[in-house]
Amino acid sequence: MSYLSVGVSPGNVPVYHGTSLKVIDKRVRIAELVLRCLICVSGIAVAILVGTDTQVREIFTIQKKAKFTDMKALVFLVIANGIAAVYSLAQAVRCVVGMVRGSVLFSKPLPWIIFSGDQLIAYLTVAAVAAAAQSAVLAKFGQPELQWLKVCDLYGKFCNQVAGGIASAVLASLGTVVLSCVSAFSLFRLYSGDKFKNGGRW
Amino acid sequence: MSYLSVGVSPGNVPVYHGTSLKVIDKRVRIAELVLRCLICVSGIAVAILVGTDTQVREIFTIQKKAKFTDMKALVFLVIANGIAAVYSLAQAVRCVVGMVRGSVLFSKPLPWIIFSGDQLIAYLTVAAVAAAAQSAVLAKFGQPELQWLKVCDLYGKFCNQVAGGIASAVLASLGTVVLSCVSAFSLFRLYSGDKFKNGGRW
């Protein structure tokens, strides 16, 4: 008997009865919810830590102010993590609603949308971390060959706060990477052999 | 009848007989092979374009030489794409051997290893592109707030060749992203409902 044929309701919202299936699905849902909450909190932390970071220094009677918009990679980091936080919050609400209702959508469009969204967010957050980390290395150590100075020598407090933001961003991006695997599992397990044999499209 | 139970041989190397399954599996394998070849060629192109890039300029009788090792992000780009090229070549050979033999490994360890490797390579190449693109933007436009100069005004030919390398790296990373979805499909479709109901581990 196929997984997909267990108790399918007319509205493509099947309620299934296998105990093992229920336990596994519950675990997957809980893991998904925890990860989405983690990404949301980490994303907000990044936006706050980096987005509010400023430092003013006086150099030869001239006041100079460092802010995150001075580095495009930090702007990208804040935007990417802001998007990840909002997206994760919306998906967490969907998870909770699904858990309260106790039903599962087995129609393919929704798992495909969730999978695509999760993949996009995972690559977006990883790319943002990589770009920000590259900028942070340049700011910390400079690039003597190109006459790019170590700005962290001048703006130490600013750099430390950015480092905290990048650490949170690493946590968020690890969460999105694991989550993209969970949603891939939730989508592709629907493509069982029986489905192919019955002429199912993919 | 479960997908996994079709003609399983004692050595975990089943030969299955469903025509739809064969057609779908053949398409997946061809797509996988094409993508692996694309990544391999693009990765080699990146390594050659960026790794061999140099330019010498004379500034006030002092000779200055730009090379890719001056920027850590370019070193990371070359290493990441080199790894991706070698890994893709090895996997392409595995694909060809599988296609010639006409058999499929349905035991879980191999798909899990391929899936993990593909995921790792996908995130590695995307991170390398993001870091290199960030460095390229800094080199092209500078960062006046931090007194970082536009080095591309001085090393135009060097920067153009790096741009070609980054374009190839974007192509390679797109290939790895699509491929990670293909290997996720190949792995997780093994986790059908029947497998769970029979107490299969995951």
Side-chain angles (χ1 to χ4, degrees):
Chain A
M1 190 166 63
S2 164
Y3 182 42
L4 290 161
S5 64
V6 185
V8 178
S9 78
N12 270 335
V13 187
V15 180
Y16 52 94
H17 316 288
T19 315
S20 309
L21 275 172
K22 269 192 176 171
V23 170
I24 287 161
D25 194 71
K26 201 176 174 185
R27 280 183 192 165
V28 169
R29 279 178 172 211
I30 290 169
E32 189 185 339
L33 185 62
V34 169
L35 283 167
R36 293 200 189 279
C37 291
L38 171 83
I39 297 162
C40 185
V41 171
S42 306
I44 291 168
V46 175
I48 292 171
L49 279 169
V50 180
T52 61
D53 196 11
T54 55
Q55 189 177 359
V56 179
R57 285 294 304 266
E58 203 162 295
I59 304 156
F60 303 124
T61 70
I62 300 164
Q63 272 204 340
K64 294 203 87 179
K65 189 178 181 181
K67 49 193 186 301
F68 83 103
T69 49
D70 290 344
M71 270 199 186
K72 278 154 199 81
L74 295 183
V75 177
F76 178 36
L77 187 74
V78 169
I79 292 172
N81 278 276
I83 291 170
V86 171
Y87 172 81
S88 299
L89 185 66
Q91 288 285 357
V93 170
R94 181 195 55 76
C95 278
V96 172
V97 169
M99 286 168 97
V100 170
R101 278 189 182 172
S103 59
V104 187
L105 272 169
F106 273 108
S107 61
K108 297 236 173 75
L110 187 59
W112 264 111
I113 291 166
I114 296 167
F115 169 74
S116 307
D118 287 350
Q119 287 279 320
L120 200 71
I121 293 291
Y123 289 109
L124 184 73
T125 52
V126 168
V129 165
Q134 160 64 12
S135 284
V137 168
L138 284 173
K140 180 77 184 166
F141 302 104
Q143 196 72 53
E145 299 87 350
L146 310 176
Q147 280 86 51
W148 290 353
L149 305 169
K150 302 177 190 181
V151 287
C152 282
D153 285 355
L154 207 59
Y155 301 104
K157 180 242 152 202
F158 177 84
C159 284
N160 287 342
Q161 195 163 324
V162 166
I166 292 175
S168 292
V170 168
L171 195 68
S173 64
L174 286 176
T176 61
V177 167
V178 177
L179 198 58
S180 76
C181 296
V182 172
S183 60
F185 168 76
S186 298
L187 171 65
F188 294 129
R189 69 174 170 165
L190 301 182
Y191 290 86
S192 67
D194 287 355
K195 199 68 186 172
F196 286 141
K197 298 195 98 175
N198 296 335
R201 285 190 307 117
W202 60 284
Chain B
M1 192 166 64
S2 165
Y3 183 40
L4 289 161
S5 64
V6 185
V8 179
S9 79
N12 269 336
V13 186
V15 179
Y16 52 95
H17 314 289
T19 315
S20 309
L21 276 172
K22 269 192 176 170
V23 170
I24 287 162
D25 196 71
K26 201 176 173 184
R27 281 183 191 164
V28 170
R29 282 180 170 210
I30 290 169
E32 190 185 340
L33 185 62
V34 169
L35 282 168
R36 294 203 188 277
C37 291
L38 171 85
I39 296 161
C40 186
V41 171
S42 306
I44 292 168
V46 175
I48 293 172
L49 280 168
V50 180
T52 63
D53 196 11
T54 55
Q55 188 177 0
V56 180
R57 284 293 303 266
E58 202 162 299
I59 303 155
F60 304 122
T61 71
I62 299 164
Q63 272 203 341
K64 294 204 87 178
K65 189 178 181 181
K67 50 194 186 299
F68 83 103
T69 49
D70 291 344
M71 269 198 187
K72 279 155 197 82
L74 295 183
V75 177
F76 178 36
L77 188 73
V78 169
I79 292 171
N81 278 275
I83 292 170
V86 172
Y87 172 81
S88 299
L89 185 66
Q91 288 284 359
V93 170
R94 182 196 52 78
C95 278
V96 171
V97 169
M99 286 169 97
V100 170
R101 278 189 182 172
S103 61
V104 186
L105 273 168
F106 275 107
S107 63
K108 298 231 174 79
L110 186 60
W112 264 111
I113 291 166
I114 297 167
F115 168 75
S116 306
D118 287 350
Q119 288 278 319
L120 200 71
I121 293 291
Y123 289 110
L124 185 72
T125 53
V126 167
V129 165
Q134 160 64 11
S135 285
V137 167
L138 285 174
K140 180 77 182 167
F141 302 105
Q143 196 74 49
E145 298 87 351
L146 310 176
Q147 281 86 48
W148 290 354
L149 305 170
K150 303 177 190 182
V151 287
C152 283
D153 285 355
L154 207 58
Y155 302 104
K157 180 242 152 201
F158 177 84
C159 285
N160 287 340
Q161 196 164 322
V162 166
I166 292 176
S168 291
V170 168
L171 195 68
S173 64
L174 286 176
T176 61
V177 167
V178 177
L179 198 59
S180 75
C181 296
V182 172
S183 60
F185 167 77
S186 299
L187 171 65
F188 294 128
R189 70 174 170 164
L190 301 181
Y191 291 85
S192 68
D194 287 353
K195 199 70 186 168
F196 287 138
K197 297 194 98 175
N198 296 335
R201 286 189 308 118
W202 61 285

